[in-house]
Amino acid sequence: CYKIAQISKDDNSQLAVCRVLLAELEAHKDAWPFLTPVNHKVILGYRKVIKRPMDFSTIRRKLNNNLYFSLETFMGDVNLVFDNCEKFNEDDSEIGRAGHNMRKFFDELLQLKK
Ligand SMILES: Cc1ncccc1N[C@@H](C)c1ccc2c(c1)OCCCO2
């Protein structure tokens, strides 16, 4: 029984780290392009180019619905946000630069939390 309790405790502490990381991403000044899903009716071509859309509000909903099993699966979705951004936006654009800034910020956060 102790072993089972031990595994679930680690998952809980990992999920607590995910909550803190997401809150810090959402609060960043350059988070604005990533706070809500991209509306493909407004952003022409987005649905065709980006096969797996992801944004911070979707990550927040998945976290609240217990859909992340580890820090790794959470990181996968955060990096998907930045990879989609790089694919669709020029590096030398407002949104492109915001994506690069946010990815650098996230990588630095992970160094602190490890
Ligand atoms: C992450 C991303 N990649 C490519 C395109 C858009 C986005 N983000 C969305 C939320 C967005 C950002 C800026 C926008 C916008 C929508 O509405 C059209 C008017 C201009 O302002």
Side-chain angles (χ1 to χ4, degrees), residues 32-39 42-43 46 81 84-85 88-89 95:
W32 56 272
F34 316 109
L35 294 174
T36 57
V38 176
N39 181 347
V42 172
I43 309 296
Y46 199 81
V81 173
N84 289 345
C85 183
F88 195 85
N89 301 282
I95 298 175

Side-chain angles (χ1 to χ4, degrees), residues 24-67:
E24 296 190 60
L25 289 170
E26 289 168 331
H28 193 285
K29 70 173 175 54
D30 292 335
W32 56 272
F34 316 109
L35 294 174
T36 57
V38 176
N39 181 347
H40 54 71
K41 294 191 185 71
V42 172
I43 309 296
L44 302 184
Y46 199 81
R47 178 166 45 187
K48 180 82 176 140
V49 171
I50 300 301
K51 302 307 178 193
R52 291 179 59 214
M54 188 49 62
D55 70 284
F56 294 162
S57 72
T58 301
I59 294 173
R60 167 69 60 196
R61 187 173 44 74
K62 287 178 72 172
L63 198 55
N64 293 344
N65 297 354
N66 235 355
L67 294 179

Side-chain angles (χ1 to χ4, degrees), residues 1-12:
C1 177
Y2 167 73
K3 191 69 192 143
I4 293 168
Q6 183 59 26
I7 292 168
S8 66
K9 189 169 80 62
D10 289 352
D11 285 359
N12 286 340

